[in-house]
Amino acid sequence: MILQTIKKHVENVIFDVFSYSITIEYAKKGDAQLACPLFQLSKEKRLSPVVVFNQLETPLKNIDGVSDVTFEHGFLNIYLNQQHLIYHTIDAIKNNRYLSENKEKEVIVIDYSSPNIAKRFSVGHIRSTVIGASLRRLFRFLGDEVEGINHLGDWGTQFGKMIYAYLHYGDEGMLDEEPIAKLQELYVRFHDEEKLNPSLSDEAREIFLELEKGNPTYLALWEQFKVLSLKEFDYYYELLNVDFDHVIGESFYESYMNDAVKEMEDKHLLVLDDEAMIIPLGDDMPPALIKKKDGSTLYMTRDVAAAIYRHKHFKASTILYVVGNEQALHFRQLQRVLDKMGYEIHIEHVNFGLVLQDGKKMSTRKGGVHTLQAVFDEAILLSKQAIEEKNPNLEHKDQVAKSVAVGAIIFNDLKNEKHLNIEFNLSNMLKFEGQTGPYIQYTSVRMAALLRQLDPVVHEDVDISSEHAMALSMVLNQFEDTLIRARSSFQPSMIARYALNLSQTFNSLYGQQKLITEDIRKSQMMLSLVYASREILNQSMRLLGIDVLDYM
Ligand code: ARG
């Protein structure tokens, strides 16, 4: 956008005069919009800063859009022509020209959500889903080629246990209602019984080996568990408005694992350790366990096969794994194994913190009932009550209540850096003021209401500059930089913070001056700024996965 263009011009002028590259910053204090220190340059060129400034002053002042240039306390300050900046900002957004070409396009695989079948969807999986989906939208928006994969946990010795438990303690009818909760209970029961009768482990192991070989009875049961689980998971995906490009579970890699293990063997990486196969990874981390004593494969084995598959099949050089902090070691090991195998695959563990309630790890298990859905239901109910109070005549209240509740949960998740723990407090996150989803949604609704009063018309000759209009234009100009930083740090929180900043900046303009006045042309131009602000705010919300509303 215009700010970047002017910044580039300034940098070019300095380069032309002194053959010296400098990076101009957005001024944090004072009235100037751009600034940079001249110490380094003057030292390098053995000229006093004042001399440097004198040589730059005229060519800088000649740049289109620059109104003044000053030198204070060793800093070069650049003042922009406000009317010019506001007009060009609006113009770029209105004509959808606010992103530059992404030069470093990449093929990126994002592995997110990835719950385990026959187990409940946990709050941790909600975090993975929300963060991963947001990154997928961000990368795609910036022009990268993205493959979003739901790497279902649908394979491993636990399914031997599951099937054993179902055949011995379960019956068909039990899966008619809340099947996942029931399956999880069976699994817990298996572990209790196993403590009394250790030979159960061998039986379960035997069942899994049979399953791996394709035993039809076991396969049919496993298939049924999978279908039931996906049905439950889809409830969350629909609610959160989340898509995947592929749902490829761990079981898919069954036929790729032999090759991967063979390759490790050929590369002389495998070592026998008490009949198990491991890869020693050096002094700074424990070895990777590739095959157990009984020949069964592990989570790690499947992750190695999956990474190689993604690299070959999707031509991905970077794979993001959106998984909690607690699996940090696993992904460091995975990277090391792939390095040792000679693959150029970059593993990025997009880690995140816990979900806390009153400072303690949030539990959605109360007396065996599944309460995560109940948490969402409560959020929707609370937001419905708030809407009922604020706007009783609103149409489609249920739909809006759902959007507000889900937006609140998503924003609460994404507003802080992802590696931090988040506090899950429904009444706080549903407030219409403060750092919340509803606050952002409400700001967009307020903008929509203004735009219904008067059509925005862009007038290049009309000056609407003011401190607040200028501040807002500056924030709009920082959208792309924000996205680029979010992309390179894998932090959707940067977009969330940006949306908050944009909302606050708009609301101070709204609070400080009347936007629609007698002066119709001025009002139309002002509404054009509102329109541009709404475009960018809505785009930020969409990237986060928060619904955009016209009324609430
Ligand atoms: N299913 C695992 C869990 O719930 C997460 C899988 C993450 N992805 C991966 N490729 N390891 O803990």
Side-chain angles (χ1 to χ4, degrees), residues 37 71 162 174-175 179 203 246 251 271 273 293 340 354 374 441:
F71 181 63
M162 212 49 259
M174 75 183 292
L175 299 182
E203 290 197 45
H246 315 274
S251 61
V271 171
D273 181 72
K293 232 168 149 165
K340 281 187 171 279
L354 299 174
Q441 275 171 324

Side-chain angles (χ1 to χ4, degrees), residues 370-426:
H370 190 181
T371 55
L372 185 57
Q373 283 197 17
V375 170
F376 276 92
D377 289 345
E378 192 187 341
I380 295 171
L381 193 79
L382 287 173
S383 90
K384 178 106 186 270
Q385 283 167 1
I387 291 163
E388 220 52 271
E389 230 171 78
K390 287 188 186 356
N391 193 356
N393 299 321
L394 184 71
E395 284 180 47
H396 313 296
K397 263 184 248 172
D398 285 322
Q399 193 51 40
V400 174
K402 193 180 121 189
S403 290
V404 171
V406 171
I409 291 173
I410 293 178
F411 194 79
N412 185 61
D413 195 311
L414 298 181
K415 74 177 179 182
N416 292 318
E417 288 178 49
K418 61 184 174 46
H419 64 274
L420 301 172
N421 296 339
I422 61 169
E423 188 58 50
F424 195 95
N425 179 316
L426 280 180

Side-chain angles (χ1 to χ4, degrees), residues 351-528:
N351 60 330
F352 56 80
L354 299 174
V355 182
L356 306 179
Q357 226 164 13
D358 301 323
K360 288 195 293 282
K361 196 174 167 186
M362 180 171 172
S363 158
T364 52
R365 250 180 258 178
K366 272 181 210 133
V369 236
H370 190 181
T371 55
L372 185 57
Q373 283 197 17
V375 170
F376 276 92
D377 289 345
E378 192 187 341
I380 295 171
L381 193 79
L382 287 173
S383 90
K384 178 106 186 270
Q385 283 167 1
I387 291 163
E388 220 52 271
E389 230 171 78
K390 287 188 186 356
N391 193 356
N393 299 321
L394 184 71
E395 284 180 47
H396 313 296
K397 263 184 248 172
D398 285 322
Q399 193 51 40
V400 174
K402 193 180 121 189
S403 290
V404 171
V406 171
I409 291 173
I410 293 178
F411 194 79
N412 185 61
D413 195 311
L414 298 181
K415 74 177 179 182
N416 292 318
E417 288 178 49
K418 61 184 174 46
H419 64 274
L420 301 172
N421 296 339
I422 61 169
E423 188 58 50
F424 195 95
N425 179 316
L426 280 180
S427 66
N428 281 347
M429 65 177 95
L430 281 164
K431 292 205 169 96
F432 278 53
E433 286 297 329
Q435 304 183 355
T436 66
Y439 173 70
I440 311 261
Q441 275 171 324
Y442 190 68
T443 303
S444 173
V445 163
R446 175 175 278 168
M447 292 168 172
L450 283 165
L451 291 163
R452 281 192 293 273
Q453 287 181 47
L454 184 74
D455 278 338
V457 182
V458 185
H459 301 293
E460 189 169 0
D461 60 324
V462 173
D463 186 4
I464 55 163
S465 62
S466 69
E467 186 197 334
H468 292 288
M470 189 63 184
L472 186 55
S473 303
M474 288 295 285
V475 175
L476 293 176
N477 272 280
Q478 281 155 29
F479 184 53
E480 182 176 19
D481 281 350
T482 304
L483 298 188
I484 291 172
R485 279 187 297 116
R487 175 185 183 274
S488 59
S489 59
F490 313 108
Q491 287 282 11
S493 63
M494 289 186 179
I495 309 173
R497 293 268 144 205
Y498 177 83
L500 206 53
N501 184 16
L502 176 54
S503 299
Q504 286 160 347
T505 314
F506 170 78
N507 285 322
S508 21
L509 168 76
Y510 182 83
Q512 291 301 315
Q513 64 189 83
K514 243 171 121 31
L515 304 186
I516 300 176
T517 60
E518 250 80 280
D519 186 338
I520 186 80
R521 295 184 83 237
K522 207 166 170 174
S523 306
Q524 286 171 327
M525 186 58 178
M526 194 50 114
L527 268 280
S528 300

